[in-house]
Amino acid sequence: MKNFSKLFSQIIIILFVIYTFLGFFILPYFIQFYIPTIIKNTIHSESYVDSVHFNPYTFKIKISNLIIQDQNQNNLLFFETLKINIDPLNLILKEISFSDIVIDNLKLSVDINKNKVANFQYILDSFNNENNTTKSQTSEEKSNFLIKIKNLNLSNIRVVFEDYSKEIPFIVHTKPISLATSDIQLKPNHINKINLEIDTKNTGKIALQSNIIVEPLSINGHLKLSQVAVNKIFHYVKPSNIDFTIDSQPLNLSLDYHYTKSTQSQNIELDTINLQLEKLIFSQNPFTIEIEKLLHTTQKVQLEIADTLHYNVTDINSKIQNIIFDNKTNNSSLSFTDFANAIDNVSHNKNKTINITQLINTPQSGTIQANVQAIQEPLNVNIKLDTKNIAITPYEPYIKEFVNMDIKSAFVSNNGNIRVSNENNQTNINLQTDIALKNVDVLNSINKQQLFKLNSLNVSNMNYTNNNLIIKNIIVDKPFVQFTINDNNTTNFSNLIPQTPKQKKVSQKKSDTQEFVYRINNISIQNGHSLFEDNSVSPKFISKDTKIAGDIKNLSSDKNKPTVITHTSIIDNYAPLLINTNMILSDPTKALKSAIKVENIDLPSLSSYSGKFIGQKIANGKLSLTLDYNIKKSQMTSSNNIKIKDIKLGEKVESKDAINAPIGLAIALLEDSDGYIDLDIPIDGDINNPNFHLGDVILDVITNTIVGIVSAPFKFLAMMIGLDGEDISNVTFDYGSSTILTTQKEKLDNIIKAFAKRPNLKLKIVTAYVQEEDTLALQELQFKEKYGQIGNDNFNAIYEHFIKEFGKESYRELKGEKKEIYQHMITKLKNNIKIASDKLILLAKQRAIAIQSYLLEKKLPSDRIVINENVKSVQKDLKTDKALILFEIEAK
């Protein structure tokens, strides 16, 4: 027994020595030798181990200076020390228990070369090849061992990431990372707590607090990202095909998270997500958007990943301070002071209502507030939109892309609702709103001339539904419109539409879009005024229209329902204007009736135009117009009544455009005894005729009327007293006589009648004689005075006179019968009587005086009768074979 005890002791000692030798010397060498081989066989990487130490009594393992290289023999992973302390007694209890795991000075280096190949890619490829050639296992036994780690300590861990595939290499170096935790157990329902902080030097910081349960798998905790270099990360992940850039201050983000996994689904819940960004600049030529500060919170995000994705997001709030929007194209800048929105109930459930609230403070002044309730299926979106006093001026550069206007002032407000829905695969849009526009002041941006101003414009009960627009009422208060004609005949409304390059017309198929239908029940204009200024005439013409009021009723696209327009105003303080129009707005050529009446226009104010078109200014007078126009099926008929009171012409004006007509005479012919000129000028025409221009037609008709009257004044006077076709422009006299024939007195009486109606006319009597016929007649008279009444039976008496005058020799030269000789003697005796020209002139004057005396006798004032002292020799009137004495007309 004693020997056995001794032998047993010796065996124990030998085993102890062998165990000690194997533990301290053989096993460390074996581990050191086989680690590179194992790594080579598993991940195909070269590796080196500086030393391995194992204490067989404490079961502590220390591995020093492990290096794993990539395929280019560069360090992929390195740690200086790995210490593991195993509790072997717990193996009996089926527990793998690590009392300590310590890793010190670990460095992981990941790089991507210019060909976009990572230094660990070959490891992944190796695993893929092995997976393709290895049969998958049909079942897997669960390990019955429980793993415990009493203390886990990682210190001086560093990660280096370098990507050289980008134009600018992306490099991230973390500062030393430390992780210390305890009581790690991979047993059901055990909470493992891990706190990790990572500082990447120039890319950002990560702070992670986690509570991990392995079975059932559950992870929750808090994540905080701070000083995240958005610029650097964006330029790294930005695809090459996008052309915008981002410049930003560091970003801060924090959230609480919870992850659970069951056999059927995975659930992720993010709570209290807070994001803060001090500055963000988004640039895409020619636009730049700068955000001064962004604050974002989301109360909860819930995700359930199973056969389908279920999600729910509640209480999303964002606030942006000072958004600046720059446009290099038109050198414009917009600055929004506040931009806030709130979104609630974003869900996978498409029948659930999403609530959105948006608030924007616009540039200069004004706010936009929108409250949205939306359902995805069936689509139903309700938007309550409220805008207050939004200044339009900041948006002027964008408006100028469509119209050349300078907006000195304009503010818009609205309060309404927008509803979008989908029924039977048709999208329906409905808008109900009131709109207010106020303090509008607009110029032409090209010539800097005033266009219009507006105190307010209020649109009430506007309703739009699927291409149908109905407006109950529009009230325009204190509008002002200025129309200016410049000296080059352009106007302040010229060049309002910017010129764009002509584009080729592209043939398009007829659209199936529903026709736009509109109706405005009433537009009311009140307290308006306007200014018309014409600088193309000299002196320039200025006219003001004040107290403008009017209504437009039933402004509609209905092709059968007329629009009714009324207008009243006062022109230049004293001339009331009234317009009443009925028309088919969509097709005015189909049907239009318009009545225009204006009274008491001061004619001297129109001297700028009278000087241009008639060559004289107007010293006095009033004008009234009554115009009626009727269009039916493109055929226009009209009556234009012109009344002028007490017109007096002023000084003459040189004008190349003046008509060549005696305007003073025309006025005298047209003006009645009460000082009125009353003209009715009908104008007809086909307005579809391209050569028909109403303004030109009116001017031509008036000009032709004036020219026609002054060119045939007696015809006009005859028509005026009901003698259509009768000529009262002359009287006839017997040759050699100044006695008014009874038949001619009626003409003179008719002239007196006409002149009684036209008090500003003068009758000018042409002093005239007929050379041959009046001479013969005077010879006849003097023959009778000298020789008395000698007939055929007084042959001897004539013979005695003839012999006395011409001698017997002349008598013997006469041939023929006695009767013929008798006539020859008388003719020669008559021809021998000399009629001096002064006798003819006297005869002409006696005729004029006879006419004058008759007219005076009939009470025609002497100042209205003029005798032309320039005596004329005229041709005889072939129709009457009498002396024709013409009259002329002059203005007083």
Side-chain angles (χ1 to χ4, degrees):
M1 189 67 182
K2 189 176 182 179
N3 291 332
F4 176 77
S5 298
K6 185 177 181 181
L7 178 62
F8 180 76
S9 299
Q10 290 175 348
I11 291 173
I12 293 299
I13 293 171
I14 292 171
L15 291 175
F16 176 77
V17 172
I18 293 172
Y19 177 78
T20 301
F21 180 77
L22 290 174
F24 280 105
F25 299 103
I26 302 301
L27 185 60
Y29 175 79
F30 179 82
I31 293 173
Q32 182 179 356
F33 178 79
Y34 275 100
I35 283 178
T37 303
I38 294 170
I39 292 174
K40 181 71 173 179
N41 292 333
T42 47
I43 64 173
H44 305 281
S45 297
E46 299 294 334
S47 61
Y48 305 93
V49 178
D50 187 38
S51 64
V52 176
H53 297 278
F54 178 71
N55 188 330
Y57 301 107
T58 61
F59 282 83
K60 290 183 179 180
I61 300 174
K62 178 181 178 183
I63 301 174
S64 300
N65 298 327
L66 171 65
I67 298 174
I68 299 176
Q69 294 183 327
D70 60 22
Q71 58 189 356
N72 296 320
Q73 282 74 51
N74 295 319
N75 290 350
L76 178 62
L77 183 141
F78 165 81
F79 62 76
E80 187 176 300
T81 304
L82 169 60
K83 296 179 181 180
I84 301 174
N85 190 359
I86 301 175
D87 189 351
L89 296 178
N90 289 339
L91 292 174
I92 301 173
L93 303 175
K94 291 189 176 182
E95 291 183 0
I96 301 175
S97 179
F98 300 94
S99 58
D100 293 290
I101 296 178
V102 178
I103 300 177
D104 183 49
N105 201 16
L106 185 147
K107 180 179 180 182
L108 175 65
S109 296
V110 178
D111 72 70
I112 300 173
N113 63 23
K114 292 183 178 180
N115 297 321
K116 299 184 179 181
V117 178
N119 60 342
F120 57 86
Q121 184 63 43
Y122 71 97
I123 299 175
L124 300 177
D125 294 340
S126 175
F127 282 139
N128 289 334
N129 291 333
E130 290 178 3
N131 290 334
N132 291 333
T133 57
T134 303
K135 292 183 180 180
S136 61
Q137 305 223 346
T138 58
S139 64
E140 185 176 312
E141 296 183 358
K142 291 185 178 180
S143 173
N144 293 323
F145 282 89
L146 175 64
I147 299 176
K148 291 183 177 181
I149 303 174
K150 292 183 179 180
N151 294 294
L152 175 64
N153 192 326
L154 288 77
S155 60
N156 297 319
I157 300 172
R158 290 172 294 162
V159 178
V160 176
F161 179 82
E162 299 178 347
D163 188 347
Y164 295 95
S165 65
K166 303 293 183 179
E167 183 177 351
I168 300 176
F170 180 74
I171 300 174
V172 177
H173 289 190
T174 67
K175 293 182 178 180
I177 303 169
S178 296
L179 173 64
T181 186
S182 62
D183 194 20
I184 303 297
Q185 298 186 29
L186 304 184
K187 70 177 183 178
N189 300 316
H190 180 76
I191 299 175
N192 300 289
K193 296 184 177 182
I194 297 177
N195 296 325
L196 177 65
E197 292 187 2
I198 302 174
D199 189 344
T200 62
K201 295 183 180 179
N202 56 0
T203 309
K205 297 179 181 180
I206 302 173
L208 179 66
Q209 298 174 355
S210 294
N211 298 320
I212 303 172
I213 298 175
V214 177
E215 187 178 349
L217 182 60
S218 174
I219 306 173
N220 65 76
H222 181 77
L223 173 65
K224 181 178 180 181
L225 303 178
S226 57
Q227 299 299 310
V228 177
V230 178
N231 294 348
K232 189 171 183 178
I233 296 174
F234 170 76
H235 286 90
Y236 176 65
V237 301
K238 180 182 75 171
S240 59
N241 59 345
I242 65 172
D243 59 352
F244 64 86
T245 61
I246 287 179
D247 185 14
S248 170
Q249 293 293 321
L251 175 144
N252 296 311
L253 173 68
S254 66
L255 57 90
D256 295 322
Y257 61 91
H258 186 79
Y259 170 82
T260 60
K261 182 179 180 181
S262 65
T263 56
Q264 296 180 344
S265 65
Q266 300 179 65
N267 295 282
I268 301 173
E269 184 176 305
L270 306 178
D271 295 322
T272 319
I273 303 171
N274 293 304
L275 183 148
Q276 180 175 340
L277 188 62
E278 291 298 326
K279 187 175 183 181
L280 175 66
I281 300 175
F282 172 91
S283 299
Q284 184 177 26
N285 191 41
F287 304 107
T288 299
I289 301 174
E290 181 177 342
I291 297 174
E292 182 178 309
K293 188 173 185 178
L294 169 63
L295 299 174
H296 174 89
T297 62
T298 299
Q299 191 62 35
K300 182 174 289 188
V301 177
Q302 293 175 306
L303 299 173
E304 181 181 350
I305 305 172
D307 294 335
T308 59
L309 174 65
H310 290 185
Y311 61 89
N312 189 59
V313 184
T314 59
D315 201 5
I316 303 171
N317 289 278
S318 297
K319 185 174 182 180
I320 301 175
Q321 296 179 357
N322 295 337
I323 307 175
I324 301 174
F325 181 82
D326 289 326
N327 186 345
K328 295 179 182 177
T329 301
N330 50 31
N331 294 321
S332 64
S333 180
L334 296 176
S335 178
F336 299 88
T337 55
D338 288 296
F339 185 101
N341 67 2
I343 305 174
D344 196 20
N345 292 333
V346 179
S347 170
H348 67 280
N349 185 354
K350 296 183 179 180
N351 297 318
K352 193 172 183 180
T353 301
I354 301 173
N355 298 309
I356 304 172
T357 300
Q358 184 79 59
L359 177 64
I360 302 174
N361 287 331
T362 63
Q364 288 190 1
S365 72
T367 60
I368 300 174
Q369 183 169 349
N371 295 309
V372 183
Q373 292 182 329
I375 298 175
Q376 298 180 64
E377 288 185 4
L379 178 64
N380 194 321
V381 180
N382 287 287
I383 305 172
K384 179 174 176 55
L385 184 64
D386 187 9
T387 61
K388 295 181 180 178
N389 295 326
I390 297 177
I392 304 300
T393 305
Y395 309 96
E396 183 180 82
Y398 303 97
I399 296 174
K400 283 184 178 179
E401 293 180 8
F402 305 97
V403 61
N404 292 322
M405 286 184 177
D406 282 340
I407 302 176
K408 294 177 64 178
S409 172
F411 299 87
V412 64
S413 301
N414 95 292
N415 189 337
N417 293 279
I418 303 171
R419 184 174 182 269
V420 182
S421 61
N422 189 294
E423 298 177 4
N424 300 323
N425 293 324
Q426 163 128 15
T427 301
N428 301 309
I429 301 174
N430 175 256
L431 167 66
Q432 294 180 338
T433 188
D434 295 333
I435 300 175
L437 191 65
K438 67 178 184 179
N439 297 337
V440 179
D441 190 354
V442 178
L443 308 180
N444 185 315
S445 60
I446 301 299
N447 53 36
K448 302 302 179 184
Q449 292 177 313
Q450 183 75 54
L451 294 176
F452 60 88
K453 294 182 179 180
L454 194 67
N455 183 59
S456 67
L457 183 150
N458 293 293
V459 180
S460 58
N461 292 342
M462 183 171 79
N463 191 313
Y464 173 85
T465 303
N466 292 352
N467 249 17
N468 286 263
L469 176 66
I470 299 175
I471 299 176
K472 183 177 180 181
N473 198 28
I474 298 176
I475 299 177
V476 184
D477 182 50
K478 293 183 181 178
F480 168 73
V481 178
Q482 179 171 336
F483 188 85
T484 302
I485 301 176
N486 301 311
D487 54 8
N488 58 358
N489 287 320
T490 62
T491 74
N492 56 331
F493 283 85
S494 298
N495 304 316
L496 279 183
I497 306 301
Q499 293 184 353
T500 56
K502 292 185 178 179
Q503 298 179 352
K504 293 183 179 179
K505 293 184 178 180
V506 180
S507 60
Q508 297 180 347
K509 294 183 179 179
K510 190 175 180 180
S511 175
D512 295 331
T513 305
Q514 181 182 357
E515 182 181 1
F516 180 64
V517 178
Y518 63 91
R519 185 180 79 245
I520 303 175
N521 292 341
N522 185 63
I523 300 176
S524 295
I525 300 172
Q526 56 193 26
N527 304 315
H529 63 293
S530 67
L531 176 65
F532 176 78
E533 183 175 332
D534 190 348
N535 296 293
S536 66
V537 293
S538 179
K540 71 177 181 179
F541 174 75
I542 298 177
S543 178
K544 297 179 180 179
D545 200 6
T546 57
K547 297 183 179 180
I548 297 174
D551 291 287
I552 303 174
K553 297 185 180 297
N554 189 42
L555 189 65
S556 166
S557 59
D558 190 335
K559 296 182 179 179
N560 298 309
K561 197 168 184 180
T563 298
V564 180
I565 303 171
T566 60
H567 170 99
T568 61
S569 63
I570 305 295
I571 299 175
D572 294 331
N573 298 322
Y574 302 109
L577 170 65
L578 174 63
I579 301 174
N580 289 297
T581 301
N582 284 20
M583 63 187 295
I584 302 296
L585 187 67
S586 60
D587 186 7
T589 62
K590 181 179 180 180
L592 181 146
K593 289 184 178 180
S594 184
I596 304 170
K597 187 174 183 180
V598 60
E599 299 178 288
N600 203 39
I601 296 176
D602 188 44
L603 281 175
S605 68
L606 302 178
S607 288
S608 300
Y609 294 108
S610 67
K612 179 177 181 179
F613 294 111
I614 67 175
Q616 280 185 272
K617 293 183 179 180
I618 301 176
N620 187 54
K622 298 291 184 179
L623 169 68
S624 297
L625 300 172
T626 302
L627 314 176
D628 287 290
Y629 286 82
N630 190 358
I631 298 175
K632 191 172 183 179
K633 295 181 179 180
S634 301
Q635 298 300 314
M636 186 189 78
T637 59
S638 71
S639 64
N640 300 270
N641 179 258
I642 303 172
K643 286 185 172 65
I644 300 175
K645 171 69 173 173
D646 297 332
I647 184 172
K648 300 295 180 185
L649 294 179
E651 63 180 290
K652 292 186 177 182
V653 176
E654 291 294 329
S655 173
K656 63 179 181 180
D657 298 318
I659 61 173
N660 186 17
I663 300 301
L665 175 58
I667 292 172
L669 284 165
L670 293 169
E671 192 172 51
D672 66 14
S673 58
D674 293 324
Y676 280 100
I677 295 175
D678 194 340
L679 282 177
D680 285 308
I681 303 176
I683 298 175
D684 304 330
D686 182 357
I687 63 174
N688 282 337
N689 188 328
N691 295 321
F692 183 88
H693 301 288
L694 184 59
D696 294 340
V697 170
I698 293 175
L699 185 60
D700 289 344
V701 169
I702 294 175
T703 301
N704 292 337
T705 300
I706 293 173
V707 171
I709 290 173
V710 298
S711 61
F714 288 97
K715 182 179 179 180
F716 170 77
L717 292 174
M719 291 177 62
M720 186 182 65
I721 59 174
L723 301 176
D724 191 12
E726 186 170 334
D727 188 3
I728 59 172
S729 65
N730 61 78
V731 292
T732 58
F733 285 85
D734 288 336
Y735 297 126
S737 173
S738 61
T739 302
I740 298 175
L741 299 171
T742 301
T743 58
Q744 301 301 301
K745 290 180 180 180
E746 183 181 8
K747 287 186 178 182
L748 295 176
D749 290 342
N750 286 330
I751 289 175
I752 293 171
K753 289 179 182 179
F755 270 47
K757 294 179 178 293
R758 294 295 181 263
N760 293 319
L761 289 178
K762 287 183 180 181
L763 181 68
K764 189 174 184 178
I765 305 169
V766 176
T767 309
Y769 61 88
V770 181
Q771 178 78 41
E772 183 177 351
E773 283 72 11
D774 277 336
T775 298
L776 291 175
L778 290 176
Q779 286 176 332
E780 180 72 27
L781 289 174
Q782 288 195 19
F783 178 82
K784 289 179 180 180
E785 291 177 1
K786 186 174 181 179
Y787 300 111
Q789 296 294 329
I790 302 175
N792 292 334
D793 55 347
N794 293 318
F795 183 87
N796 293 330
I798 293 299
Y799 172 77
E800 291 295 332
H801 289 299
F802 185 83
I803 294 299
K804 185 177 179 180
E805 292 288 337
F806 303 106
K808 291 183 178 181
E809 185 65 29
S810 295
Y811 176 77
R812 286 193 287 269
E813 292 178 356
L814 299 176
K815 306 294 182 183
E817 297 292 332
K818 181 177 180 180
K819 188 176 181 179
E820 293 175 342
I821 293 172
Y822 178 79
Q823 289 299 326
H824 286 316
M825 287 190 295
I826 288 177
T827 299
K828 195 166 183 178
L829 285 170
K830 287 180 180 180
N831 291 338
N832 194 44
I833 297 173
K834 303 301 179 183
I835 302 299
S837 60
D838 57 347
K839 290 186 177 181
L840 291 173
I841 293 172
L842 178 62
L843 175 63
K845 290 181 177 181
Q846 288 173 341
R847 287 170 173 168
I849 291 171
I851 295 171
Q852 181 186 44
S853 298
Y854 184 86
L855 294 175
L856 290 173
E857 183 182 343
K858 293 292 184 175
K859 307 302 182 184
L860 185 66
S862 60
D863 62 347
R864 299 188 65 188
I865 306 170
V866 177
I867 297 177
N868 190 343
E869 298 296 336
N870 296 321
V871 180
K872 294 182 179 179
S873 174
V874 298
Q875 299 294 323
K876 70 176 182 177
D877 184 17
L878 296 178
K879 291 182 180 180
T880 61
D881 193 23
K882 293 184 182 295
L884 187 67
I885 305 303
L886 297 173
F887 298 139
E888 294 177 353
I889 297 292
E890 288 184 350
K892 287 179 66 176

